[in-house]
Amino acid sequence: MGIVKHGLNDDVVRSSPMGVDGLIEIFDEFIDGLRNIDGFSHLIIISLLNKVTKEQQKVLVVRPRRLVRFGIAANELPEIGVFATDSPHRPNPIGLSIVRLVNRDGRFLRVSGLDLFDGTPILDIKPYTPDRSVGINDLRTPNWYSALWKRIGGGVI
């Protein structure tokens, strides 16, 4: 239904702790689906992680490498199941991203906080609404994650 456009190389996206600015181009036949999307602050983006290889789809245990961007050494990260991470290496290469909607210009959505590569196919878009959010008092994480989060200066979980 659409495609990511920002012109940045994959390493820039990978190393960006807060994501990058970019466009989501919606194909002409889906433009009516954007009606009234303006005004939402955030969107949930479902994508096809098209650069994940067949071999990477067999990976079931990983280290949560996203934390390396914040100064945690890779060898300090625990090995955990892929479903306990946001690793792109997984049996079904489907991505889920939450981005800020900056504005809409026709069939183009300008967004920030994008963690997808240039050219990534977009499968679906949903508004991020209060009924989907988890209150900070209800949010829990495993001890290993809480400890690493505190090491990188994250707030209380």
Side-chain angles (χ1 to χ4, degrees):
M1 72 174 283
I3 193 165
V4 171
K5 293 189 170 194
H6 50 61
L8 301 170
N9 74 43
D10 296 356
D11 289 334
V12 170
V13 176
R14 257 188 222 106
S15 65
S16 175
M18 303 308 286
V20 300
D21 296 340
L23 289 176
I24 297 176
E25 177 184 357
I26 303 303
F27 301 141
D28 285 330
E29 61 265 33
F30 300 106
I31 196 166
D32 283 343
L34 295 175
R35 191 176 302 171
N36 293 328
I37 202 166
D38 311 82
F40 285 104
S41 65
H42 290 78
L43 302 173
I44 300 168
I45 307 298
I46 311 294
S47 60
L48 175 64
L49 304 176
N50 59 321
K51 293 189 176 184
V52 175
T53 66
K54 292 288 183 194
E55 198 59 38
Q56 290 167 334
Q57 289 180 25
K58 296 176 186 174
V59 174
L60 294 177
V61 176
V62 298
R63 293 182 190 273
R65 298 199 187 278
R66 180 175 287 234
L67 297 172
V68 170
R69 298 181 208 175
F70 299 102
I72 304 290
N75 64 349
E76 296 179 86
L77 298 170
E79 286 189 337
I80 58 177
V82 70
F83 302 127
T85 75
D86 61 356
S87 171
H89 302 167
R90 49 198 329 108
N92 287 313
I94 297 171
L96 184 144
S97 303
I98 298 174
V99 299
R100 177 178 293 279
L101 176 59
V102 176
N103 67 18
R104 174 184 168 205
D105 183 12
R107 63 190 184 95
F108 296 93
L109 302 174
R110 182 166 305 284
V111 298
S112 64
L114 196 56
D115 61 352
L116 300 170
F117 297 148
D118 193 54
T120 299
I122 300 303
L123 303 175
D124 201 1
I125 299 171
K126 299 176 185 300
Y128 187 88
T129 55
D131 61 306
R132 297 182 190 278
S133 63
V134 176
I136 193 68
N137 294 330
D138 293 330
L139 184 63
R140 288 188 326 243
T141 60
N143 290 337
W144 66 264
Y145 187 90
S146 296
L148 291 172
W149 184 249
K150 287 176 185 168
R151 274 187 58 195
I152 62 173
V156 175
I157 296 180

